[in-house]
Structure formats: C-alpha cells, structure tokens
Amino acid sequence: MKLIKLTAVAAAVLASTAALAADPIIVIDDTDAVVYEAEPVSYAEPVAVAYEAEPVASEAAPAAQYNNDAGIIRNTTGAIFGGTKTLFNTVTHPAAVSAEVGTLGYGANIGWAINDKTELQAGWAGGDVADLFGGDFDANDVNYDVETDFSNPYMGVQLRPAGNWFTMGAGIIVPDNSIDVTANSEGGFYKIDGERYKADDLGTLTGSVDHRNKLAPYGTIGFRPNINNHWGVFGEVGAAYLGKTDATIRTNSTNSNVELEDGSLSGQSATEVASKAQNELKGKDYLEWLPIVKLGATYRF
C-alpha cells in the first residue's frame, strides 16, 4: 500500500515538472499571434491557458505606419533594395503618380518612397509656355515676341525635412527647349547698338535662342497636403540653371546699305546690322535662370 502511494506522488510530481518545463505553443493567424501555455495545477491535469502576444512586424505588414495626413506616400524601400526582380516590380509599380502644369510646361511624374521623408521622382514637362513668361522680352532696345516648344525630362529627390506638408526638392533637368524670336519695330524703326535703322530697309528680324547647358540642376521648395487617403495636391517654386545662351538673328532683306532715321546711309548691310542685334540678344542670356513655378495633383497607391 505504501509503495502504491509513493508511486502516485512521484507520478504527480513528474507531471507537474513536465508541464512547467514545456515550451509555449504559438499559433499564428494572419497578423495575430496567440500563445498557449500549460499551467500546472496541483495533482491534477494541466489546464491550457491562452493569452494574446504583441503583433510581430513582418515584411508584409510594416510595424510603423506613416502619417497619411502629411501627404507621405507608401514606403518602397524594401522593394527598391530587395534585389533585381523586386527592383523591376517596384519600377513598374510606383507609389504615386502626379500631373503638373507650370513654367517647365505641362507634364507628369512618378514617385517612389525611400522612407517617410524621402521620395525619388522622374517626370517630363513641356509644350508651348511662352505666355507664362509674358510672351515677349527686351534685349537692349529691341523687343522680341517669343514662341517656345519645351521638352524637360527630369529626375530628382523630394525631401520632407519636418515630416509634414513642407517639401524641398533638387535634381537634374535634361532640357531640349526651342525658343524662337521675332523682333518688333517701333514706329518703323529698329534701335540697335545706339542707332535707329529704318525697318523697311532692315527687313524682318527673326532668330532663336539656345541654352548651353545639356544638364540643368534645379532646386525647389513647396507644400504637398493630402485631400484623402489617395489624392493630394502640391505647389512648388524654385529655379533651374540653364546656363549662358547662344543666339542667332537673321534678316530677310538683301539691302547693302541700310538707311538711318535721319535719312542718311549707315554704310552697313542688313546682314551686318542683324549681326549687331544678334550680339545684343546673346548678351541678354534670356532665361539663364529658368524660374520654376508649378501646381499639380497626386494619386498615391
């Protein structure tokens, strides 16, 4: 009888010890983790007690959520740096697309978020935007009408230094802009290099302006508030450095001796006077610093 009691006590002790030493059983359902742990009860069967564990961050569900009200787009860092295949998927599935209008032209861009304060952008803007710059300008005493055909692909970075609506941007434009000019006479005369030449003798002066920079750095500041979870708006101001200009001016006149305002002969051909106008236009460096003003709307995926 004593042997039976000792055997029963030993068995109960072993069962309790095994229950205490047992590892918890974790069951994962989607993002919720539940741990079942055996809790020993004196001289009785173990009772299963369940409690919820804190959710564990995974690649599929990041632990940190960005502030949507600040206009921040979805984080794609892991996809960008996750390998060739993931990089391709990310490039073909950006975090946001935007439409814009401004001094660079009419266009659009796509964006990829590196983190909650940094976004990469690639876009294009162009078209006839001469009216945005007034449609004309003066080079010394000659007024020129302007026609433009802009093409401005660009790549850049948008920063949110305070993690809110305020943004700072920088990048590179690859300008391919056509700027055509036509001189306007005043009272039937052109004033060039201090002299007034008869417009009938000099003819029509037309030409073009080309910037020397093949890559134009730019910088902007702006704001990007959200309307809802997907839509937002933005505005930016800044400048791009297009560089010094080259200019050409030509005349349709073949006059070999252009008459001055007082009726005397200048001793210069129409082509020579047009060359003087060209030098003045070149010295103007029209749009050497291209002002950037743009407004747009963004859709975030």
Side-chain angles (χ1 to χ4, degrees), residues 104-239:
L104 290 177
Y106 310 89
N109 66 65
I110 55 179
W112 299 268
I114 298 300
N115 53 46
D116 61 337
K117 293 184 179 180
T118 308
E119 173 188 338
L120 298 180
Q121 283 185 342
W124 177 91
D128 186 0
V129 296
D131 289 341
L132 297 176
F133 301 105
D136 68 329
F137 70 95
D138 293 329
N140 286 0
D141 295 312
V142 180
N143 178 263
Y144 291 92
D145 286 332
V146 182
E147 292 184 3
T148 59
D149 183 12
F150 276 15
S151 177
N152 290 300
Y154 63 88
M155 294 187 66
V157 177
Q158 280 284 338
L159 301 176
R160 298 176 182 272
N164 55 20
W165 293 2
F166 176 72
T167 62
M168 299 176 65
I172 292 292
I173 300 172
V174 187
D176 184 14
N177 300 326
S178 172
I179 303 174
D180 296 323
V181 298
T182 302
N184 296 311
S185 62
E186 295 183 3
F189 298 92
Y190 292 107
K191 187 176 182 180
I192 300 171
D193 195 26
E195 298 284 353
R196 290 175 62 86
Y197 300 90
K198 285 187 177 180
D200 289 341
D201 279 5
L202 190 53
T204 302
L205 300 178
T206 58
S208 62
V209 175
D210 297 301
H211 292 96
R212 297 176 186 175
N213 281 11
K214 303 306 179 184
L215 296 176
Y218 73 85
T220 62
I221 58 173
F223 66 98
R224 289 178 173 261
N226 277 358
I227 298 174
N228 55 37
N229 286 337
H230 289 290
W231 288 98
V233 294
F234 66 89
E236 294 179 35
V237 294

Side-chain angles (χ1 to χ4, degrees), residues 12 15-16 40-47:
S16 297
V41 178
S42 178
Y43 300 104
E45 287 292 327
V47 178

Side-chain angles (χ1 to χ4, degrees), residues 9-20:
V9 171
V13 172
L14 288 173
S16 297
T17 305
L20 288 170

